[in-house]
Amino acid sequence: MWVCSTLWRVRTPARQWRGLLPASGCHGPAASSYSASAEPARVRALVYGHHGDPAKVVELKNLELAAVRGSDVRVKMLAAPINPSDINMIQGNYGFLPELPAVGGNEGVAQVVAVGSNVTGLKPGDWVIPANAGLGTWRTEAVFSEEALIQVPSDIPLQSAATLGVNPCTAYRMLMDFEQLQPGDSVIQNASNSGVGQAVIQIAAALGLRTINVVRDRPDIQKLSDRLKSLGAEHVITEEELRRPEMKNFFKDMPQPRLALNCVGGKSSTELLRQLARGGTMVTYGGMAKQPVVASVSPACPSCVCRACSFLRISNFEAFGCPSGRRITVQTSSRS
């Protein structure tokens, strides 16, 4: 949900945070009206001094804005999303944790309003996003080093720019890095209506890949299915449908997937493994069910019996939105 208001109004508990929170209004003053010599003394930011429940530890504070020096860039935040990883970081259970006290927010898009004398790659008016996680985007304005920012086009939708750094990059790297997929190959994923899932659908469609998109059942399943198909999804099925014996007939008309993308874990990940082609790869990049990934050795799971499967867990990020992980190839066999 879009809120075109100043950041001092953002006092919603973490469990109710949704969408993007534009800071300082959606349509603020033009960049040319700012200068390094006319900086306000303080800016508003959502800060946490220790880890815990975001609704309890995040506070709205006034921070001093540093002066713009040689390689510095002053920016005004245009929009910053609230990601599950943002919440995890505040809770203290994320792979990377900034020093405390810290400003929340890993993603966002900002407009350059002033640059230092040594800055050569950016100018006032440019749009920028963080180069790495932990920059702290839940604030109205900030001064960062030039190397901490990446310029993006200013003619793309604001929401797209603000969410460019994590989900689309993760989706692209998972589609490209772990299997040499060709047009016509298929990919299966769970949590297909998540941010990453929707990015996978769109990028896969652009690459000519066919997608099998698994979602939880819900009263408005047809509405969700139609929305995902409008993005390029070929098939949308529920977790319950994936477990049915009839799924064996599903692949008479399309190839078995060589790549499975799992961010749920538990039974859902086991069902993805059942559908993998011989020697396929399942990449786990999340665990929303908070249950372990289990590979069955039952004859009902032909991808895991008498076949070599690769399991890869994304454990950290080499760059913002660029996953790295460890591949484990498991070879099993059954006795005849």
Side-chain angles (χ1 to χ4, degrees), residues 167-169 171-172 175-176 198-209:
N167 293 336
C169 296
Y172 180 79
L175 287 170
M176 300 298 293
Q198 293 181 60
V200 165
I201 290 171
Q202 295 173 77
I203 297 171
L207 295 173
L209 303 175

Side-chain angles (χ1 to χ4, degrees), residues 15 39 43 50 53 66 75 128 134 151 163 191 211 213 215 230 256 275 285-286 290 301 319 325 331:
R15 63 180 177 276
E39 294 173 323
V43 297
H50 57 277
D53 181 353
V75 300
V128 292
Q151 184 181 357
T163 57
T211 55
N213 302 280
V215 297
S230 72
Q256 282 190 285
Q275 314 305 327
Y285 66 100
K290 298 183 179 180
C301 184
Q331 299 190 19

Side-chain angles (χ1 to χ4, degrees), residues 121-299:
L122 296 172
K123 64 183 183 302
D126 287 345
W127 281 17
V128 292
I129 63 173
N132 293 287
L135 194 64
T137 56
W138 295 352
R139 61 179 103 197
T140 53
E141 298 184 47
V143 173
F144 299 121
S145 65
E146 182 181 13
E147 64 182 13
L149 303 169
I150 298 174
Q151 184 181 357
V152 297
S154 59
D155 58 352
I156 61 177
L158 190 69
Q159 182 175 356
S160 298
T163 57
L164 188 62
V166 176
N167 293 336
C169 296
T170 301
Y172 180 79
R173 292 295 301 270
M174 290 194 298
L175 287 170
M176 300 298 293
D177 288 3
F178 306 118
E179 284 287 340
Q180 299 300 311
L181 300 174
Q182 302 298 323
D185 288 343
S186 67
V187 177
I188 189 169
Q189 64 167 340
N190 54 24
S192 303
N193 57 325
S194 66
V196 172
Q198 293 181 60
V200 165
I201 290 171
Q202 295 173 77
I203 297 171
L207 295 173
L209 303 175
R210 308 174 68 179
T211 55
I212 305 156
N213 302 280
V214 184
V215 297
R216 290 179 296 175
D217 199 4
R218 64 200 67 205
D220 61 343
I221 185 63
Q222 188 58 52
K223 182 179 179 181
L224 174 60
S225 177
D226 292 344
R227 181 165 64 84
L228 295 181
K229 288 182 178 180
S230 72
L231 297 177
E234 182 168 350
H235 298 283
V236 179
I237 61 177
T238 66
E239 296 275 3
E240 291 74 15
E241 291 172 329
L242 187 64
R243 298 188 182 104
R244 292 175 183 170
E246 293 80 5
M247 276 300 298
K248 65 182 180 181
N249 300 321
F250 184 85
F251 294 103
K252 290 183 177 180
D253 299 322
M254 71 180 301
Q256 282 190 285
R258 293 173 52 193
L259 179 66
L261 305 178
N262 165 50
C263 77
V264 178
K267 293 181 180 179
S268 179
S269 59
T270 304
E271 294 302 325
L272 293 188
L273 282 171
R274 291 182 192 276
Q275 314 305 327
L276 271 180
R278 182 187 299 272
T281 298
M282 185 173 79
V283 179
T284 292
Y285 66 100
M288 294 192 303
K290 298 183 179 180
Q291 297 175 356
V293 174
V294 178
S296 173
V297 295
S298 165

Side-chain angles (χ1 to χ4, degrees), residues 51-66:
H51 297 120
D53 181 353
K56 298 179 179 178
V57 302
V58 175
E59 298 178 283
L60 182 65
K61 291 189 175 183
N62 290 324
L63 302 180
E64 290 187 7
L65 190 67

Side-chain angles (χ1 to χ4, degrees), residues 293-334:
V293 174
V294 178
S296 173
V297 295
S298 165
C301 184
S303 290
C304 298
V305 179
C306 299
R307 301 188 181 194
C309 296
S310 293
F311 306 84
L312 186 135
R313 178 175 65 88
I314 294 176
S315 55
N316 52 36
F317 287 82
E318 290 180 337
F320 203 26
C322 299
S324 66
R326 180 179 59 177
R327 183 187 300 271
I328 303 174
T329 301
V330 180
Q331 299 190 19
T332 62
S333 63
S334 64

Side-chain angles (χ1 to χ4, degrees), residues 29-36 73-76 111-115 123-126 141-142:
S32 59
S33 66
Y34 291 86
S35 67
V73 178
R74 178 183 163 190
V75 300
K76 182 185 75 168
Q111 185 179 52
V112 175
V113 296
V115 299
K123 64 183 183 302
D126 287 345
E141 298 184 47

Side-chain angles (χ1 to χ4, degrees), residues 6-19:
T6 50
L7 198 57
W8 61 266
R9 285 178 166 175
V10 183
R11 294 183 179 273
T12 310
R15 63 180 177 276
Q16 298 177 3
W17 287 346
R18 293 292 187 272

